Every structure is written in structure tokens, then in C-alpha cells.
Amino acid sequence: VLSLCCEACKKVIFHVPSELEADTLVGRVDLKECLQSAEVISSTDGNFKVLEDGSVYTTSALSLSAEKKTFTILLKDIQEQVQKKIHVSLVEEEKKKTRHARDTVLKRTKRRWGPIPSVMIENSLGPFPLQIQQVQSDTAQNYTIYYSASGPGIDQDPKGLFYIERETGNIFATRAVDREQYPSFQIICFATTPDGYSPEVPLVHTIRIEDDNDNAPYFTQDLFEFCVPENSKPGVFVGKVTAEDRDEPYTLHTTLKYRIVSQNPPITPAFSLHGDTGVISVLLPQLDRELVPSYTLLVEVRDMAGQPFGLCTTGTVVVKIEDTNDNAPSFKQIKYETQVEENKVRVEILRVSVVDLDEPGSPGSGAVYEIIRGNDDQAFEITTDKNTNEGILCVVKGLDYESAKQRILVIGVNNEAPYLLAPHSQQLSQSTCSVTVHVLDVDEGPVFKPCVLRLDVKECEDIGTAVGRYIAEDPETGNSEGIRYRIPPGQCNWINIDERSGEIRTVKVLDRDIGEMRRGQCNITVLAIDRNGKTGTGTIQVCIVPGNKNFPRIAQTDYIMCRDRKPICLTSQDGDEAPYSTPFVYRITDRNLDSMWKITPHNDNSAYLSPKGDIPFGVYDIPVSVMDNGGKVGEHNIRVNYCDCVTPTECDGRSRQLGGGNVTLGLWGILAMILGSLLLLLILITICGCCGRGVMHRQVTDDCANHNLIISNTEAPGEEVMDHNIIPLQNTCDQGGYGVKTGDQQTFEIVKGRGHTLESVKGGGHQTLGSVKEGGGQNMMDTCRYSYSEWHNFTHPRLGEKVHLCRQDEEQKHSEDYLLSYNYEGKGSLAGSVGCCSDQHEEEALDFLDQLEPKFRTLAETCIKR
């Protein structure tokens, strides 16, 4: 909780007009007299505002309704927890002027309350106090005016530098001023009456300090260092020196000029200095680092545009000459000799050195050695010692004394940086030297040729299979006599080597699917030992290559084929990799089934199985062989259920059993045959019982519509059959007949039927179908043929008579012989009944065929025109 000590400081009375406009100065209160550090200054009346200098202004137009108006100014110091109050009273001034007037008649004079900015010379010598300006208010003609001022130089740092006379408004300076420290001052001048009224707005007055050339220019760095490559052309930029001056900018006091005072070493001037910009450029066309590595320049900067009376300062510039590769390296000797034992590798045999005048350690002096001639087999290698810049000659491949007793090499040298031809230099050729290497003879061990032997072994080869031969030679004699071979233990136990001949055989069946053999590769070290006990080593790289260890397998062997005989796609898989997998060759191995079925290739791993022609329905077990690209054959038994169906789901595993070929009967087929035999026996007993009766009056049922077709093993759609080619026949037999056109002669055939034929009615008089049905007991041949005209002559008049009687008889008595009552025997046919008055020939009468069960769809497809 912040608690402030509050007390009234003083009371102030301002005489003001009765009407005050907004932003009108009411008066000025000395706030510091009450509280030196006031952090918060506020007014209790919102119509007035108080500035930091104590000036009181109106915030809006105001009319004094009473003779006196009061408000309070609150001053707060939060840190010291102090609060002061100043009571302000506004009193309406009297209309009659009470102040002493200097003139009875007002005259317009020159207004001087806003003078031009004052100017004071920097480092002025006085005398002090020195008057620099006067401020006056026009209201001083009518009132007694007192002048005061505040701001930097008066009551702020630097305090006491200026003051203003109270009665005259003259502004004086008390001492000299440094412009670089205080370039200008802004003070606030006030004009008030003795009672505190301010008839003028406070004046902001600027006092400018005029510059004096009292500061010499200075360089921004104590030492400037630059670099330039040797042999640079004249005019090449080297660097830039910069200087500053604290005097007033954009005057002669800060206009600088540069020049080179001296050069060390004192030879021909090598550089030039631009007087205005301070840019140093190359002047001498031949800068040679090997002669003069660096230059030291003494430079001067002077203000007042370089006039002799200007102030100046000097600085130092060091220019280093950078090395370029203008000196080629050269060998200290042009011939060297050395020796080395044969078969030694990675040994240093010689060091060569060069002379280079360029800067040591720079790319221009770094030597790069190369073997120009005599190293066709890459047996030698030369590198550079970075510390000594020498060339180190080494043997990286063993030398053979028997092949060459001496080797002569030619070595050349260059620098890391490209060679630059200096103006004073001459074109030089590459420096070279020759090295003679003498090869010393030593006793050597056997050497395998090649040193690494790759053996590709097919997987699943039998144990003991010979896969190759690996022998070594004695380099002294050039033959393999007396050399024994062995494989050190601790390696993969895949092969062994014959101790005398070097023949390699497998010790196990290599299979890429087992254990460590999954990698498919193993490196085996072999030792060769001669008679002296000298040994040589070689490496056998055994790689297991994929073999033909798997035969192709057909993924699916059971299929259902419907009467559309859509080909079956046989797909095989083989676990082997190429070239022992695809393409596969399919073949039917049974001769009988091969004549009925065929296989058509589809792609590399599949083929189509389909019948060659019309075959009976049933289950077929077809032996199929599949041979892969490596000749491995897999035998499979493909079971195809050739079913009388449209979709495989309709088959339900039912099929006809075939007696030929490889067609076998399943358990359900045998049970179906037994049940069918029992049912057939029951039907025969029933028929025999019915035939034992006398003359029977049989009725024609709706099932006789099924006798229009004979039984056929051909289920495929046949030729299109017209309506008039099929002649319906109604009888009481279990089998029906059909009429067939053969050429121009039309015949009609009755197959296995019982009842009357055309023979029994040819000689009769006028007979109806009813009389024909009642006349039983006559024998009938199994198969009889008559011409179509005879059949037409027999049926046409009788059908016409029946139709005529049906139309004439209102009581429909004549319809009793062909409209008979039937007992209920279950659900009727979807086709409905056919009456005597029916004369429909439209195809719409066969719409019921679309709703038959699957086993009758073949009949539907035959009867409907497509």
C-alpha cells in the first residue's frame, strides 16, 4: 500500500478574462519551489492542464460563472512518497485597467518575441559575460514584463553557461563553449507580469555554437596492412586508408587530403595514394617478392583541403608482396641410384630434393613429384614430404628378380600452384632426374596364380564333387613340383584341397537355405609349402550359385467347370531362382485324357486347361506334368468337376460319373446311384400293378409337355429350331416323340411310346382324339416314321372340328372330352393350362422358361429364339 504525505505548499491567484478559449495560457506556477522531483503532475479540474515547467493551460473553452474559480495542482514523488498541493484561484480581471500604462495611446511596434537563432563562436575569448541575444515582448509597452529562461546551459547541464536579464531580456554567456561537446542549445524563454500572468506563449530559442578548426584529423587505424601479388600491373588496387575529423562536417575544417610522405626501402616509388579517397594503387610495374618482400609507407592527412595552414596527422601503411609461382623448381641432382630386395613392398628406397626460390611453404614452392617413365606396372610410387619438400620413392608392388634385375625411372617435378611467367622470367622446361633401381635376388616361397580364385559351385551338388583346381608355382623354377597344399583350420568347412594335386572337392551339400550358407559366399585361405618350408598363400572365393533343387508346383488342383467350358488357368510356383524357374512347360501325361483335354500356354508360369470338344459331364482326374526351365518335372493330378451348371456355386459337388478313362465315382455318387435304382424299381412295380387292371381310362397330365424332347448327351446349344418343326403329341406314355424335317420329306418319330399310332386310325372313319385315347390294347412298334402330310391329314380336320364345336356350344358340353378334372397333385406349372380355344403363337407364351430351375435351363435355351 502506497501512502503519500500530503500538505498544501502555497496558493496562487491568476487574474484572467471571464471568457477563456481552449489552449489558452492561464499562468505559470513555480513547481520546484514546492517539490524538486515531481514525477506526477495533475489537476483536480479537467478543464485545466499543467505542464512540467508549471504552465497552466485550458483544455476547453471556459466561462467563469462566478467571480472566483479554484482548483488544485497535485505534485507526487512516488519514490520519496511525498505529495504536495498548490491551490490555484482564478479571479476575473476588472474591466478598468488597473496596471500602470507607459503610454496613454497604444502604438504598433515591431514584435521581437520570436528572434532568429543566436550564434556563439566556439572557444570564444570573451570578454565574459558576453551578450549573444535579446528577447522582448510587445506586451511590455502596456504592462510591466519580467523575463526568465530555463533549459540546457541555464538550469540544466551545463548549468550557469547562460542567463537572461529579468528586466531587459538580454541573454549572456558566462564562459567559452566546445562545439564538439555542445553543438547547440535550446532554451525556453518566459514573459510574465509581476502578478504571474503570462501574456506570451513560452518561446523556444536556439543558441548555435559556430565551429572553430580546433581538431586535427586522425587515422582510423594506427597501422594499415595490405597485400598485393608480385608482378601486379600498375593501377591494381592495394588498399584504402581512412581518416576522420571531429570538426563540423561538410566544412573546410573537415575537408581532408592524403599524400605519401616517404617509402621504405627508399627505392623507386612502388605505390601511389589518391589525395581525396585515400586509395593506394600499384605504381611500379615490377614488384618482385624475392627482391623486396614488403614496403613501409608514411602517409599524411591534412584538413582545410590540404592547405598549409590546415591541421595534419601522419600514419603508417605496410604493404606485403604476396608470392606467386614465378620460379620453377629444379632437382639438386640429375642422377640417382638405389637398390631393393625382390618382393619387398611398402618400403622407402630413395629421397630426392629440389631448389625453389619462391616463398617456402607456399603453393608456389610446394613440390609435386611424378614418375614420367619406367613405371608401367605401377610398382613404384613417389610422394612429397611436406616438412622437407623432398620426394619419397617407395615400392608398392613386389619386384621380381627373375623378370627384371634393374629398373630405370625418370622423375619430374612441378609446383602445387600453376607456373606464372613473370615479366623478367624466361620460359623453362620441366626439371627431371633419372633413378636406377637394382633388384636383389632372394629365396622366395610358392606363388599362387591367380592370387584369388573364384569358384562357382551349384547348390545341392553331391558330396565329393570336384569343383576346380588351385596350384602354386616356385618362382625360382617356374613349376609346381614338391609343393604341398592345405587349408588352415578355423574357416568355413565347405571344400577341401588335395595335398599333392591341388584338386578341390566339396565336403558337404551346399544349400543357400541352410545356416551360414545363406550368405552364398565364403573366402578360404589356402597354404602352399615347398621343400624348403617356404610358404605362399592364396584365396579361394567359393560362391554358391542357385541350382535346380525344386520342381514346379501347381498352386490349385481342384476346379469346377460349368457348361460354358471356360478354360481353367493353371498357375505354378518354383522355389528356385532363374534360370531354373520359369518358363514352365505343361503337358497331359495320360493318352486317353490327352485326346479329350488340351493345354494352351498363357505366360511363363501359367497355362489354360480346356476340353477339346464335347465331353460328358462328370469328374475328371487329369494327370499334368510341369517342367521348369532347368528340366525338373513335377507331376500333379488336376481334378476337374465338369458340371451341368451356369455358375460353379450351383454345382454343389454333384456330377455325373463316367465309366471310361480315369473318371471315378465318389461316395455321394455311389449313394445317388443306389437311391436312383431303388426309385426306378418302385416305379416299375407301380406300373406293373396298373397294367394288371382291365381297360384303363387314362388322363393326360401337364407333364406330357416334357415329351417334346428326347434324351441327349449333347448339352451344348444346337441349331436354331423353329416352332413349326416341333409337333406336340399328347399320350399317356412315359416317353414322347418329336417331329423332324429331313430335307424336303417331313417325318414324325415316336420313341418308346405306348398307345395308338397312325396305323390304327388310317382306316377309320371320322374319329376324334377321345376315341383314339379310348381305343387301347393295340401293339405299337418302338420306332415308326410317317410323312408329315399323313400326320397333318390326321390331326388337322379333327382339331378344326373340336374348335368349331367349342365355339357353337354355349353349354360347353363338347369340351368335356378334353377339359378334364384333375386331382390336386402339388404345385402346378408356371406355364398354366392350355384350353381348346387357345390359339397362341407368340413367343411371349414361353416366358415361364426364364423361371425354371438350373437343371432345366438347357431346355429353355433350346426352345427360346435367341
Side-chain angles (χ1 to χ4, degrees), residues 365-380:
S365 65
V368 178
Y369 300 91
E370 62 176 336
I371 301 175
I372 300 176
R373 289 194 303 272
N375 193 31
D376 296 337
D377 57 350
Q378 303 297 317
F380 298 92

Side-chain angles (χ1 to χ4, degrees), residues 734-787:
D734 295 332
Q735 301 292 338
Y738 63 92
V740 183
K741 288 183 179 181
T742 304
D744 296 333
Q745 184 67 27
Q746 298 176 350
T747 62
F748 182 78
E749 180 180 1
I750 298 177
V751 181
K752 296 182 182 179
R754 292 183 59 193
H756 296 281
T757 64
L758 292 178
E759 296 289 346
S760 61
V761 296
K762 284 183 179 179
H766 180 74
Q767 295 180 348
T768 65
L769 289 176
S771 63
V772 173
K773 285 188 286 185
E774 292 176 358
Q778 296 184 10
N779 295 329
M780 186 186 77
M781 297 175 62
D782 290 341
T783 302
C784 300
R785 295 183 179 274
Y786 300 92
S787 64

Side-chain angles (χ1 to χ4, degrees), residues 65 195 413 452 520 748 858:
S65 58
D195 58 0
V413 64
V452 178
F748 182 78
T858 302

Side-chain angles (χ1 to χ4, degrees), residues 138-155:
D138 291 346
T139 59
Q141 300 176 3
N142 301 323
Y143 303 98
T144 300
I145 298 298
Y146 296 137
Y147 299 96
S148 61
S150 68
I154 298 178
D155 54 0

